């Protein structure tokens, strides 16, 4: 049965997730209270889930149906929608911890990027050796922004206080953030978009990560020509196959213990970005399955 207020990821129905083995739990978090430019990421989870019901569930690259590993869709975390960021982060952390307690892989659908702080907080308690791979146009390393340490522009700074961080696709940061990377936290590894597009560094990324990895995907890592539906689009981003190549490489070489897809800010009348986001989440579930199988 579908859960209240939302369609199930992939249009999947009729599975009893209490008794059957299920690998993934999709948690939709419709939150955009700290958005600085365009609001609208609140509508991201519904748009992604709706688009996902129209996808083919067969993966032509992996030659299998990734959903067979089990994908449950949780109710929208509506209770977080109107909360101030610190309270919202606590709710997201508690919801993620519930997923982890069931032994499932959290797949969190945003919503704006600030939700990731709560997800990583929960994962870190279970996986002390966790590292985070951030795909993003922005460094997000500000200490505070608009008087808040939980603003979406600060998400990577908060993550870097919890665990090792590798950034990919960055092409927008402030002088202070560049200075922070250079002098205060040189252990943060940042691969700029131009380096990835030139084909440099693609294979190095997994080597920089610890054995257990959480992947946070800000959709603005993509070029706006393929992903215009984000709150803060930046030119010169990655293409579809570049991102997939990176995700597959990391999923095979490291244990991906969860991921999120954030900052989908739907454009009325243009469903292509919603489909991209849905397919991206499903592709990564397939890669995670492949990695788990290879490791058995
Ligand atoms: Mn971003």
């Amino acid at each position: 049965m579908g859960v209240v207020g939302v369609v199930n990821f992939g249009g999947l129905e009729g599975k009893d997730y209490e008794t059957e083995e299920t690998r993934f739990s999709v948690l939709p978090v419709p939150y955009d209270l700290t958005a600085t430019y365009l609001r609208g990421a609140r509508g991201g989870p519904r748009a992604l889930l709706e688009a996902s019901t129209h996808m083919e569930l067969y993966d032509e690259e992996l030659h299998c149906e990734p959903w067979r590993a089990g994908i449950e869709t949780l109710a929208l975390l509506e209770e977080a929608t109107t909360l101030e960021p610190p309270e919202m982060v606590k709710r997201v952390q508690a919801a993620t911890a519930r997923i982890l307690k069931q032994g499932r892989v959290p797949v969190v659908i945003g919503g704006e990027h600030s939700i990731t702080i709560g997800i990583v907080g929960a994962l870190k308690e279970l996986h002390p050796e966790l590292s985070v791979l951030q795909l993003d146009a922005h460094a997000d390393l500000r200490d505070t922004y608009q008087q808040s340490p939980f603003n979406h522009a600060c998400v990577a700074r908060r993550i870097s206080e919890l665990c090792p961080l590798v950034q990919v696709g960055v092409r927008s940061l402030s002088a202070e953030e560049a200075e922070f990377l250079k002098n205060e936290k040189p252990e943060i590894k940042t691969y700029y978009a131009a380096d990835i597009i030139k084909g440099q560094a693609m294979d190095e990324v997994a080597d920089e990560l610890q054995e257990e990895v959480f992947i946070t995907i800000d959709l603005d890592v993509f070029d706006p020509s393929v992903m215009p539906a984000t709150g803060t689009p930046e030119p010169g981003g990655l293409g579809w196959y570049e991102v997939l190549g990176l995700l597959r490489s990391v999923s095979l070489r490291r244990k991906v213990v969860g991921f999120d897809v954030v900052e989908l800010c739907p454009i009325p009348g243009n469903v292509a970005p919603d489909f991209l986001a849905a397919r991206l989440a499903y592709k990564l579930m397939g890669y995670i399955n492949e990695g788990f199988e290879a490791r058995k």
Side-chain angles (χ1 to χ4, degrees):
M1 286 295 290
V3 286
V4 177
V6 72
V7 293
N8 282 345
F9 186 85
L12 298 167
E13 292 287 351
K15 212 160 180 293
D16 178 2
Y17 294 106
E18 294 307 316
T19 56
E20 290 187 46
E21 205 172 300
T22 295
R23 177 162 294 154
F24 300 102
S25 281
V26 176
L27 173 66
V29 183
Y31 188 77
D32 65 3
L33 218 58
T34 83
T36 42
Y37 184 32
L38 285 182
R39 282 263 175 109
R42 186 174 299 190
R46 281 178 194 277
L48 186 153
L49 290 169
E50 176 60 32
S52 78
T53 68
H54 301 282
M55 297 185 305
E56 289 289 0
L57 295 175
Y58 176 76
D59 188 301
E60 84 296 347
E61 179 189 12
L62 301 173
H63 310 290
C64 67
E65 295 175 294
W67 68 269
R68 292 186 183 278
I71 304 169
E72 75 164 339
T73 305
L74 302 172
L76 286 166
L77 201 67
E78 293 273 21
E79 66 206 48
T81 305
T82 56
L83 296 175
E84 288 302 314
E87 290 305 312
M88 175 278 293
V89 164
K90 277 185 205 155
R91 295 291 176 95
V92 172
Q93 182 157 343
T96 306
R98 283 196 293 274
I99 294 170
L100 296 175
K101 208 171 165 191
Q102 292 180 290
R104 294 177 184 171
V105 175
V107 173
V108 185
I109 306 298
E112 60 165 69
H113 211 164
S114 50
I115 67 173
T116 304
I117 301 167
I119 309 165
V120 174
L123 277 158
K124 176 71 184 173
E125 288 189 2
L126 189 66
H127 305 286
E129 297 300 308
L130 185 76
S131 58
V132 171
L133 172 62
Q134 173 195 2
L135 275 62
D136 203 322
H138 309 92
D140 288 346
L141 285 167
R142 286 180 161 87
D143 194 24
T144 61
Y145 197 65
Q146 296 181 340
Q147 292 87 48
S148 172
F150 293 103
N151 189 281
H152 66 99
C154 311
V155 62
R157 182 73 169 256
R158 297 290 86 78
I159 290 170
S160 76
E161 293 163 354
L162 293 171
C163 58
L165 172 67
V166 176
Q167 307 183 300
V168 170
V170 174
R171 52 199 188 277
S172 175
L173 72 172
S174 69
E176 290 75 16
E177 289 173 293
E179 168 74 17
F180 175 76
L181 277 173
K182 187 161 176 256
N183 294 325
E184 279 186 64
K185 266 280 172 97
E187 62 270 31
I188 296 175
K189 188 77 192 169
T190 302
Y191 293 98
Y192 293 93
D195 298 330
I196 296 288
I197 287 164
K198 286 180 205 148
Q200 297 161 356
M202 188 70 106
D203 294 331
E204 287 174 34
V205 174
D207 297 335
E208 296 290 337
L209 294 158
Q210 315 247 52
E211 181 48 34
E212 292 180 319
V213 177
F214 177 76
I215 304 178
T216 178
I217 306 174
D218 184 332
L219 289 166
D220 64 30
V221 72
F222 287 98
D223 193 75
S225 60
V226 292
M227 175 39 80
T230 74
T232 44
E234 288 283 344
L238 277 56
W240 175 245
Y241 288 107
E242 285 163 332
V243 170
L244 292 191
L246 179 70
L247 294 176
R248 192 175 187 186
S249 160
V250 169
S251 302
L252 279 172
R253 294 164 67 197
R254 294 292 182 269
K255 185 180 182 191
V256 178
V257 296
F259 70 93
D260 65 27
V261 175
V262 299
E263 298 286 352
L264 177 63
C265 191
I267 300 169
N270 182 5
V271 293
D274 308 345
F275 272 89
L276 184 151
R279 279 305 307 273
L280 181 70
Y282 195 53
K283 289 296 293 187
L284 184 45
M285 289 187 223
Y287 295 150
I288 290 171
N289 287 341
E290 183 186 36
F292 280 19
E293 293 302 318
R295 223 169 268 110
K296 265 184 188 168

